[in-house]
Amino acid sequence: MRVAVVGTGHVGLVTAATLSMLDHEVVGIDEDEEKIRLLQQGKSPFFEPGLQELIEKGASSGRLRFASDAPDAITSAHVIFICVGTPARSTGEANLAAIERAARRLAPHLSGPTVVVEKSTVPAGTADRLWQVLRLERPELDDDIQVVSNPEFLREGQAVEDSLRPERILVGGRSTKAFEAMRQLYEPLIRDGAQFIETDIQTAELAKHACNAFLAMKISYTNALARLCERAGADVTAIAEVMGTDPRIGRAFLDAGLGWGGYCFPKDLQAFERLSARLGYDFGLLREVQRINDEAIAATLEKVKDALWNLEDKRVALLGLSFKPRTDDVRLSPALVLAGRLLDEDAHVVGYDPEAGANAKSEMPELEVASDVYDALDGAHCMVVCTEWDEFRSLDLDRARGVLAHPIVVDGRNVFDPAEMRSKGFIYYGTGRASNFEMS
Ligand code: UGA
């Protein structure tokens, strides 16, 4: 099939590259000419494991190309994906202006039969608005143009794997014709075991927010439990294992730490709560989920202060700056929020990240960024693990202890074994673990 993908951010680019692997002819379109230039040279504009290879394969097969404007590709496309950003407004609501703009730009070039796919995460009701915009621009458009919702569930850092081997493909639509086109598009993935779920449009839109908010709730639940464990002398990691053995609960997303961040959970949770309020339902649980997430960073800061007393003239090394491992994305990264709080209290903060150093530096120029983990630790009074990169799990602890000014470790992601840390002479603060505050 011929496919156009509007927006080449994380979702759009991975979608475009994946669909080209399924033998579709794909054009990725983006207003950002610099990004398009990079992509035309076969380079991914951001780090995502496996994506660079897919882009190269797509380009050499001739099935994946990029353009800043491609009216012909829109006209001839069987399926057009809208993957533009939906950032949060200051009110917390999703800003859908980019979706409207994309629809206006598409409208003059549409020629059916075409399925216009809303792939970006949006509040329920957006697809109807999208259709309205298309019809206002082109009143003659008829059933040959179908709008469907097909939310993505890919995770940064695992996006290629998630796209090539999804558990489910959710499509919200109104006509058999549209469902059939989407089945045809994803046929190789369905054959490989992906569950194809058909719903009405509002249900598909709401389901995406429901999934992200539920996952955020699981994490916040565990972080609240961590606060309790620290007071009760229990170990939240062991409780997570116990809970995880119950298939009704599941082990995933029960890791306590600095909390959730990134481009999706923070904005989606807020947008979901705002949508709910607009529809007349007070979904207060979502606000509590957010509050507990903020508390997770505050609790980590308290441990640093407990260990160092005054932060002035203290050097604090943050290990991991991305919002989670295997990505260079620092948007709403808990590590940077913590860095900001430490800087506000006049600590000297140095960060290290295997991939996200440059992004962190441009997001927060006042942060010193080291290019090697031991350089970051050199002379630091405290080491704080903010993101659980594998590199930190295999840290040479003796070397680390040797270069640190004080052997203090605040483990914001529970990557180390408390007993081992104590035996190596560290003053170790875990997250929600009984060993907190015990000195060696
Ligand atoms: C999330 C969802 O997992 C995807 O299904 C969804 O498609 C995506 O948002 C989206 O809406 O685009 P992502 O933001 O890439 O994916 O990251 P996650 O792997 O879900 O992690 C989110 C945050 O939760 C990270 O900051 C991570 O460190 C944190 N987390 C995760 C925990 O603190 N504890 C856990 O147990 C799990």
Side-chain angles (χ1 to χ4, degrees):
M1 295 170 95
R2 283 187 298 276
V3 180
V5 178
V6 180
T8 59
H10 239 96
V11 173
L13 187 50
V14 174
T15 302
T18 305
L19 290 172
S20 76
M21 291 299 110
L22 306 184
D23 282 346
H24 300 302
E25 242 178 78
V26 187
V27 183
I29 304 166
D30 204 295
E31 300 174 331
D32 182 340
E33 302 204 350
E34 182 52 41
K35 200 192 260 182
I36 290 297
R37 243 193 311 279
L38 268 180
L39 287 166
Q40 285 171 339
Q41 292 162 11
K43 291 184 196 142
S44 172
F46 51 83
F47 171 74
E48 179 64 45
L51 183 58
Q52 178 63 43
E53 289 78 359
L54 281 200
I55 292 172
E56 284 166 20
K57 271 194 206 162
S60 62
S61 70
R63 287 194 302 271
L64 178 61
R65 60 188 185 88
F66 297 95
S68 52
D69 193 19
D72 297 347
I74 300 290
T75 304
S76 64
H78 299 109
V79 183
I80 301 170
F81 281 88
I82 300 187
C83 301
V84 295
T86 54
R89 291 187 190 279
S90 56
T91 55
E93 280 182 307
N95 183 340
L96 303 170
I99 300 245
E100 181 176 345
R101 201 167 57 243
R104 281 192 204 291
R105 289 187 64 184
L106 289 180
H109 309 295
L110 286 177
S111 159
T114 307
V115 182
V116 176
V117 185
E118 165 195 272
K119 189 83 173 159
S120 311
T121 301
V122 290
T126 305
D128 284 347
R129 287 291 197 170
L130 188 57
W131 177 236
Q132 238 175 42
V133 173
L134 296 177
R135 284 293 299 272
L136 281 171
E137 296 290 313
R138 294 269 307 276
E140 78 280 14
L141 288 181
D142 59 16
D143 275 4
D144 255 7
I145 307 292
Q146 289 283 325
V147 174
V148 304
S149 160
N150 169 218
E152 55 78 23
F153 294 104
L154 55 84
R155 291 162 292 180
E156 285 186 32
Q158 277 151 279
V160 168
E161 177 65 20
D162 285 348
S163 296
L164 288 172
R165 268 168 286 278
E167 276 149 9
R168 71 240 204 240
I169 295 163
L170 172 60
V171 177
R174 284 207 179 89
S175 78
T176 319
K177 215 161 54 170
F179 286 128
E180 268 167 17
M182 294 303 284
R183 266 186 192 275
Q184 194 188 337
L185 183 78
Y186 287 120
E187 199 273 330
L189 303 183
I190 300 168
R191 212 183 329 123
D192 274 1
Q195 200 183 339
F196 188 85
I197 305 172
E198 294 177 10
T199 66
D200 60 79
I201 293 180
Q202 278 80 356
T203 300
E205 290 173 328
L206 206 72
K208 171 61 199 269
H209 269 149
C211 287
N212 274 5
F214 190 83
L215 291 171
M217 181 183 75
K218 275 188 99 176
I219 301 167
S220 283
Y221 183 89
T222 318
N223 279 328
L225 207 56
R227 304 287 82 77
L228 184 60
C229 286
E230 285 166 0
R231 288 160 175 81
D235 186 332
V236 75
T237 62
I239 294 180
E241 294 308 322
V242 174
M243 290 173 68
T245 57
D246 185 335
R248 293 171 302 175
I249 298 174
R251 173 65 185 82
F253 282 68
L254 293 181
D255 289 320
L258 259 93
W260 38 268
Y263 186 62
C264 302
F265 282 6
K267 83 173 166 58
D268 290 354
L269 198 84
Q270 273 195 334
F272 198 29
E273 194 273 337
R274 290 291 82 206
L275 169 77
S276 183
R278 184 157 56 76
L279 296 176
Y281 178 68
D282 180 19
F283 207 153
L285 174 63
L286 300 181
R287 290 194 296 279
E288 187 59 9
V289 168
Q290 175 70 61
R291 188 196 64 76
I292 294 168
N293 199 50
D294 299 339
E295 190 180 73
I297 293 177
T300 309
L301 178 63
E302 278 315 305
K303 285 170 196 158
V304 176
K305 286 163 81 171
D306 183 73
L308 297 182
W309 191 20
N310 299 301
L311 294 181
E312 289 91 346
D313 304 323
K314 300 280 168 51
R315 186 175 164 88
V316 180
L318 302 186
L319 268 48
L321 301 170
S322 56
F323 81 99
K324 67 172 192 177
R326 293 177 295 281
T327 175
D328 63 358
D329 195 343
V330 298
R331 288 175 295 180
L332 292 182
S333 168
L336 292 193
V337 179
L338 179 65
R341 304 251 174 99
L342 288 163
L343 287 166
D344 285 347
E345 303 221 16
D346 291 329
H348 182 93
V349 187
V350 52
Y352 166 76
D353 191 283
E355 294 290 343
N359 286 347
K361 186 74 190 169
S362 60
E363 180 86 9
M364 191 176 261
E366 62 276 38
L367 179 70
E368 181 185 332
V369 176
S371 53
D372 175 90
V373 65
Y374 300 100
D375 288 346
L377 296 178
D378 197 6
H381 299 93
C382 175
M383 148 177 149
V384 186
V385 180
C386 297
T387 314
E388 66 278 29
W389 286 93
D390 283 343
E391 183 179 337
F392 306 146
R393 295 186 199 280
S394 53
L395 199 69
D396 178 340
L397 291 171
D398 295 320
R399 186 172 167 199
R401 194 183 183 304
V403 295
L404 280 165
H406 293 335
I408 297 172
V409 174
V410 175
D411 190 351
R413 295 289 179 184
N414 288 332
V415 303
F416 297 120
D417 174 40
E420 186 191 1
M421 295 304 279
R422 283 201 306 278
S423 75
K424 288 197 175 290
F426 286 101
I427 299 166
Y428 176 79
Y429 292 72
T431 301
R433 310 188 86 175
S435 57
N436 273 352
F437 320 121
E438 279 179 29
M439 312 254 296
S440 60

